[in-house]
Amino acid sequence: MTFRLILVGAVILAVIALVYIIREDGARSVTTKIERQNDAARNSADGARGAYDKCIDAGGMWNFSAGKCEGP
């Protein structure tokens, strides 16, 4: 009787631990995905800002509707 109780308790603890590990892994993967999206957005914004700055420095005029430099 006592052995069965210990065995059931161990199985319950193992299931709880497994659920906890799976949830933590899922949360970590979602966090990583969001961080990668943020990095991509930052890199895209940096590239656009760099193109705008180069255009202005070269004496051009940035056409916002076309998203490109016009002029010299």
Side-chain angles (χ1 to χ4, degrees):
M1 181 69 174
T2 304
F3 177 72
R4 281 191 206 163
L5 195 55
I6 292 172
L7 186 61
V8 169
V11 169
I12 290 173
L13 285 175
V15 169
I16 290 172
L18 183 63
V19 168
Y20 177 78
I21 290 169
I22 290 171
R23 287 178 54 111
E24 286 297 313
D25 185 51
R28 195 174 314 115
S29 69
V30 169
T31 301
T32 301
K33 180 180 176 183
I34 291 170
E35 287 174 353
R36 285 183 182 154
Q37 289 174 343
N38 286 345
D39 289 343
R42 184 185 67 238
N43 292 339
S44 177
D46 287 344
R49 185 181 65 233
Y52 173 80
D53 289 343
K54 286 179 185 176
C55 177
I56 300 302
D57 290 344
M61 178 177 259
W62 188 261
N63 183 337
F64 287 97
S65 62
K68 64 180 182 178
C69 186
E70 295 179 349

